[in-house]
Amino acid sequence: MDFNVKRLAADAGTFLSRAVQFTEEKFGQAEKTELDAHLENLLVRAETTKQWTERIMKQTEVLLQPNPNVRLEEFVYEKLEKKAPTRMNNHELLGQSMIESGNEFGPGTAYGNALIKCGETEKQIGGAERELIQSAAINFLTPFRNFLEGDFKTILKERKLLQVKRLDLDAAKTRLKKARMADARAAAEQELRMTQSEFDRQAEITRLLLEGVSSTHAHHLRCLNDFVEAQTTYYAQCYQYMVDLQKQLGSFPSSFSNNNQSSVSGGASISVPTIPVSASLPSVSAGHGSSTASGGFSELRSSNSSRKARVLYDYDAASSSELSLLADEVITVSSVPGMDSDWLMGERGNQKGKVPITYLELLN
């Protein structure tokens, strides 16, 4: 019992000491230990990453589901860990209405048949939209959410603990300044050494976590590429569906068209190129134009030669076969037979490993 009382009293004393130190700092009556510039920059970058990740997530959710009521319902079901009821999207609803009206007017009539074909196409587009939303949720939104709810919460926890250790350190410095007796100064010096050690240790833990944000950026870049690929597939599918529908509608007789349609039916037909859904994506590059950059990497792979390349962003190797990179450094890159097209072999002195081409800009 006495031990618990003493412990509570000690905790209360520590809390009071931190509160006094914090208040005096606010009023400019006490000195404050400043974090080093590198750690401060890491803290700012982490906070900026958090803010923009939240904003991108929110706008992506609005893009994929414009209806705020449906978004709220999906959020509630997610928190309850229940599956939201399946409902038709807008394209599917439109398609269903067209099909029903076409059957009502008669599939044997030109108008009824056209409505049915349009409805079937709208339903196909609705199915493609579902695939886009599912892909974006798994490959784009989920990693962003995991960062906010996992890594960043850990960073916040350790940053708060660092603030506590700093208050303890500054409070110990203040007590040492005020100590007059030899015994008091000896005790204050010992306390200062202990609090300085704890502060340094916590600063190192926080720094390591904050430097991990570079890996988060690299992972989010891969997620962004997945999202762009999903959108490319979706829009290519929609385009192909509409081109096919346009050809089917063009085969119908035009004698039933009214005056408002005569200018369209009587004019020249619109010819549009067909884009295959399986068309491959160009490589993403932050340097010169994407076509130029893609061509340079293609030439490098076909020639089996080596080139100098400038690193665009920091990159932390995910395995021993990869090479970590620093922004703005120049390395030598070459192609290795059988290697994935998104990677090249990089060399820096005696170091060698795979590097992603999205982080590189080939030099002339």
Side-chain angles (χ1 to χ4, degrees):
M1 187 68 178
D2 291 341
F3 173 77
N4 291 334
V5 171
K6 290 180 180 179
R7 183 174 180 180
L8 288 173
D11 290 343
T14 301
F15 178 80
L16 180 61
S17 175
R18 292 168 183 166
V20 170
Q21 178 66 29
F22 181 79
T23 303
E24 290 181 348
E25 288 176 0
K26 288 296 183 182
F27 286 98
Q29 299 174 354
E31 294 183 4
K32 176 182 177 181
T33 299
E34 299 292 342
L35 302 177
D36 65 79
H38 178 60
L39 188 55
E40 287 283 6
N41 290 335
L42 291 176
L43 286 168
V44 171
R45 185 180 67 160
E47 183 62 30
T48 302
T49 301
K50 175 252 187 183
Q51 291 175 358
W52 281 110
T53 300
E54 288 178 332
R55 186 169 177 178
I56 292 171
M57 272 189 59
K58 179 181 177 181
Q59 294 304 320
T60 303
E61 290 170 347
V62 171
L63 171 69
L64 298 176
Q65 179 48 264
N67 190 326
N69 293 327
V70 175
R71 291 202 306 274
L72 178 60
E73 181 183 87
E74 291 174 348
F75 175 78
V76 172
Y77 275 101
E78 181 182 346
K79 291 301 179 183
L80 295 175
E81 296 183 349
K82 293 184 178 181
K83 185 178 180 180
T86 303
R87 57 161 57 86
M88 290 194 292
N89 56 37
N90 291 333
H91 284 289
E92 291 170 331
L93 289 171
L94 175 58
Q96 186 67 30
S97 297
M98 286 182 167
I99 292 173
E100 291 177 357
S101 62
N103 288 325
E104 181 72 20
F105 291 126
T109 66
Y111 182 43
N113 193 6
L115 280 170
I116 292 174
K117 290 185 180 299
C118 288
E120 290 171 347
T121 300
E122 291 294 338
K123 282 198 164 186
Q124 285 181 309
I125 293 175
E129 183 181 291
R130 287 185 181 278
E131 294 177 1
L132 169 65
I133 292 174
Q134 182 179 15
S135 175
I138 296 173
N139 300 321
F140 189 64
L141 291 176
T142 297
F144 275 46
R145 186 176 292 108
N146 288 343
F147 165 71
L148 294 173
E149 297 179 355
D151 293 349
F152 191 75
K153 283 189 175 180
T154 302
I155 290 174
L156 284 180
K157 177 183 175 182
E158 297 300 331
R159 186 176 69 179
K160 183 178 179 181
L161 186 55
L162 178 62
Q163 172 73 351
V164 170
K165 297 299 182 183
R166 186 197 61 76
L167 288 171
D168 290 343
L169 173 61
D170 289 338
K173 290 179 179 179
T174 301
R175 279 192 288 272
L176 179 59
K177 287 182 179 180
K178 294 180 179 179
R180 295 291 180 265
M181 304 297 293
D183 292 345
R185 286 192 63 82
E189 288 174 351
Q190 181 179 359
E191 181 188 12
L192 179 59
R193 285 192 296 270
M194 182 184 68
T195 54
Q196 181 71 61
S197 175
E198 292 179 352
F199 171 78
D200 291 341
R201 178 176 177 276
Q202 185 58 37
E204 180 64 15
I205 293 173
T206 307
R207 182 186 65 79
L208 291 173
L209 285 172
L210 291 171
E211 288 178 345
V213 174
S214 295
S215 298
T216 298
H217 286 185
H219 180 48
H220 286 182
L221 175 59
R222 291 191 290 270
C223 296
L224 184 61
N225 282 325
D226 291 340
F227 183 45
V228 170
E229 182 177 358
Q231 288 187 91
T232 302
T233 301
Y234 167 69
Y235 289 120
Q237 285 178 322
C238 293
Y239 175 81
Q240 192 61 56
Y241 291 150
M242 297 311 294
V243 168
D244 294 341
L245 175 62
Q246 189 179 44
K247 291 178 181 177
Q248 294 179 59
L249 295 181
S251 65
F252 290 165
S254 58
S255 59
F256 60 86
S257 61
N258 56 29
N259 293 333
N260 292 331
Q261 297 169 316
S262 60
S263 62
V264 176
S265 61
S269 61
I270 302 174
S271 177
V272 288
T274 298
I275 300 177
V277 173
S278 59
S280 60
L281 289 171
S283 299
V284 177
S285 175
H288 300 295
S290 60
S291 59
T292 304
S294 177
F297 287 117
S298 298
E299 292 175 4
L300 178 61
R301 280 191 287 269
S302 61
S303 65
N304 291 326
S305 60
S306 61
R307 290 271 299 273
K308 293 291 185 180
R310 184 174 69 86
V311 178
L312 299 173
Y313 320 101
D314 290 348
Y315 176 74
D316 294 327
S319 67
S320 58
S321 65
E322 297 178 13
L323 181 66
S324 295
L325 304 173
L326 294 175
D328 295 324
E329 72 171 323
V330 176
I331 63 172
T332 302
V333 293
S334 59
S335 178
V336 175
M339 182 176 289
D340 188 276
S341 60
D342 292 332
W343 296 80
L344 290 172
M345 183 60 65
E347 294 183 49
R348 184 204 302 114
N350 296 328
Q351 296 178 316
K352 190 174 183 180
K354 294 194 304 180
V355 294
I357 64 174
T358 52
Y359 283 68
L360 303 174
E361 179 186 39
L362 291 179
L363 301 177
N364 295 326

